[in-house]
Amino acid sequence: MKNLLIVLCLAISTFGFAQDMSINGKVLDGAYENQPLAFAYITVEGLDISVETDLAGDYQLPLLKGSYTLIFDFIGYRPIVMKNVILSDKNLHLDPVVLEAHKLTTDILLAEKAE
């Protein structure tokens, strides 16, 4: 009886962990012919959760069911905010996100010097 109880508890805990899902995808560099962008950040707005892309630009963000706002960011690039990303009963694979570099213009540089 004791062994059956232990097996039952292990089965229930394993089932509970199996409920975790993830959002995954790829981040591309719009400044360099949409090559993979390594070390870009994907942050979940309102939560202390973020991940970084790997060398191939891929990411996996483990989350529970719900609706999320994701922020894709990299230094020197314009961030992209993706609202109402809904994670339901299965893992969600997003289309590639292309980050564009900030373009410094002469007007911006002159304004910075004037300050």
Side-chain angles (χ1 to χ4, degrees), residues 59-79:
Y59 65 90
Q60 184 171 4
L61 190 58
L63 294 167
L64 299 174
K65 289 182 189 179
S67 177
Y68 300 97
T69 297
L70 304 180
I71 303 167
F72 298 83
D73 199 9
F74 190 75
I75 296 173
Y77 288 70
R78 282 188 221 99

Side-chain angles (χ1 to χ4, degrees), residues 93-104:
H93 182 77
L94 297 177
D95 291 335
V97 173
V98 181
L99 293 180
E100 298 291 336
H102 283 290
K103 294 183 180 175
L104 291 178

